[in-house]
Amino acid sequence: MKKLLTLSALACATLAPTAMAADEVNVYSYRQPFLVEPMFNEFTKETGIKVNVKFAKKGLAEKLVQEGEYSPADVILTVDISRLSNLTEKDLVQPVNSDILEKNIPAQYQDSDNEWFALTTRTRSVYSSRDRVGKLGDEFTYADLAKPEFKGKICTRSGKHPYNVSLVSAMIAENGEAATKEWLEGVKSNLARKPQGNDRAQVKAIKEGLCDVALGNSYYLGKMVNDKEQKAWADAVYINFPNQNTTGTHVNISGMALAKYSPNKENAVKLMEFLAGNKAQSMYAEVNYEYPVKADVKPSELVASWGEFKADPISLDDIADHHEAAIKLLDEVKFDL
């Protein structure tokens, strides 16, 4: 009898962690806590599944490589198509077959092999000085940034930042390498200063009169409007959506992927489906001023006030295919030097 009791206790001890794991899902996230934790709390409330999160600013792909098949990661959250495609290139994710994801996320914004899915979109816009430039019309294009009229008037962060690399990649996909290199040379010659800082720093530079136009992601405008120390920067600019009469404005994404060795795959897929649903999509829109990827979820009132725009329909897969070429061109023209 004593032996049987001992075996029974061992069995319970062995099964206990598995039972606990069944009620958990582990997330590796580049997205900040203030943005994703409210959604995770709502997911837990609805499903009873606890969400454990490891936040990081960089190095998640390297961490996944190091952990290998023993990695506890289930879902990976990140920004920009380049970071998502990097996960697939390093074989760190696996396909997800989900009717819900297929229905809620437009084909343009998901991997053709179902290895990553967009959650939100944001435009690579051009900010212009209200006082010195005014609103740029629908005829304005990214190509115009290389024209002589903008000599000494452009600010931007590093050309090799993923946000700019994705824009250059899209231009290569649509115009070819030779034309894109010529454009990069023109933009470089029009810079008011060496590329530096982040997107908000470029808007600040416009406010301070250092430049008149700048590349920047759309959601930063919402962040600045709601920051008492930065509102004056936002009030000094218009947000513009280039290429409205041609290809449409370049759009990038935040997204998610299922880790290759996910130990809680069923829970992970449930979380991914939740994040692509109406409730989470609405929360994304209100908290971070991004555009929901789900078509029937409206952007926040502030974001809607910026006006409607035509998005470039190019597949993000096509953009990702040209990232190496984009970095090569940026090096060739010494864009950041």
Side-chain angles (χ1 to χ4, degrees), residues 63-295:
K63 183 172 182 59
L64 288 165
V65 170
Q66 184 181 36
E67 292 173 341
E69 64 183 294
Y70 301 105
S71 175
D74 294 306
V75 176
I76 307 158
L77 297 182
T78 186
V79 293
D80 189 80
I81 179 56
S82 65
R83 291 185 173 101
L84 286 166
S85 62
N86 185 45
L87 293 173
T88 64
E89 289 166 5
K90 292 184 176 181
D91 193 27
L92 297 173
V93 296
Q94 60 177 298
V96 178
N97 295 312
S98 164
D99 291 340
I100 293 175
L101 296 180
E102 189 76 22
K103 175 185 176 183
N104 289 1
I105 301 174
Q108 176 188 0
Y109 300 129
Q110 57 179 280
D111 178 53
S112 56
D113 294 323
N114 297 328
E115 289 191 334
W116 54 257
F117 301 84
L119 286 171
T120 63
T121 64
R122 68 282 294 274
T123 64
R124 195 69 180 148
S125 287
V126 173
Y127 291 103
S128 59
S129 168
R130 286 179 179 263
D131 296 335
R132 299 183 299 277
V133 177
K135 185 79 172 173
L136 301 172
D138 286 348
E139 69 280 359
F140 179 80
T141 68
Y142 294 110
D144 291 337
L145 293 174
K147 290 183 176 180
E149 65 197 74
F150 288 107
K151 186 75 173 179
K153 296 181 178 181
I154 299 174
C155 284
T156 183
R157 73 195 306 165
S158 168
K160 294 175 78 170
H161 186 278
Y163 298 158
N164 282 335
V165 172
S166 291
L167 172 61
V168 175
S169 300
M171 297 188 76
I172 292 173
E174 292 170 337
N175 305 316
E177 288 190 32
T180 303
K181 182 176 182 179
E182 183 179 354
W183 175 75
L184 282 172
E185 290 171 337
V187 174
K188 177 179 169 61
S189 69
N190 286 345
L191 293 177
R193 62 181 185 178
K194 180 180 176 180
Q196 59 191 270
N198 55 26
D199 281 359
R200 284 191 249 195
Q202 316 314 316
V203 177
K204 180 184 179 185
I206 293 177
K207 171 68 170 62
E208 295 173 344
L210 299 176
C211 50
D212 290 347
V213 296
L215 284 165
N217 278 0
S218 53
Y219 63 92
Y220 286 116
L221 183 59
K223 289 178 175 289
M224 290 184 288
V225 166
N226 286 282
D227 185 324
K228 63 181 181 180
E229 295 182 0
Q230 300 178 3
K231 189 176 186 302
W233 310 350
D235 291 342
V237 299
Y238 286 113
I239 186 171
N240 302 278
F241 302 99
N243 293 48
Q244 289 304 284
N245 292 339
T246 56
T247 57
T249 299
H250 173 64
V251 170
N252 212 321
I253 62 170
S254 72
M256 59 184 173
L258 178 64
K260 183 175 182 179
Y261 300 107
S262 169
N264 303 291
K265 183 175 179 180
E266 184 178 344
N267 291 345
V269 173
K270 287 180 180 178
L271 176 60
M272 294 174 74
E273 291 175 341
F274 174 83
L275 294 176
N278 285 29
K279 184 174 291 186
Q281 287 285 297
S282 295
M283 294 173 77
Y284 265 120
E286 292 295 333
V287 175
N288 209 42
Y289 315 108
E290 296 174 282
Y291 295 95
V293 74
K294 192 170 185 287

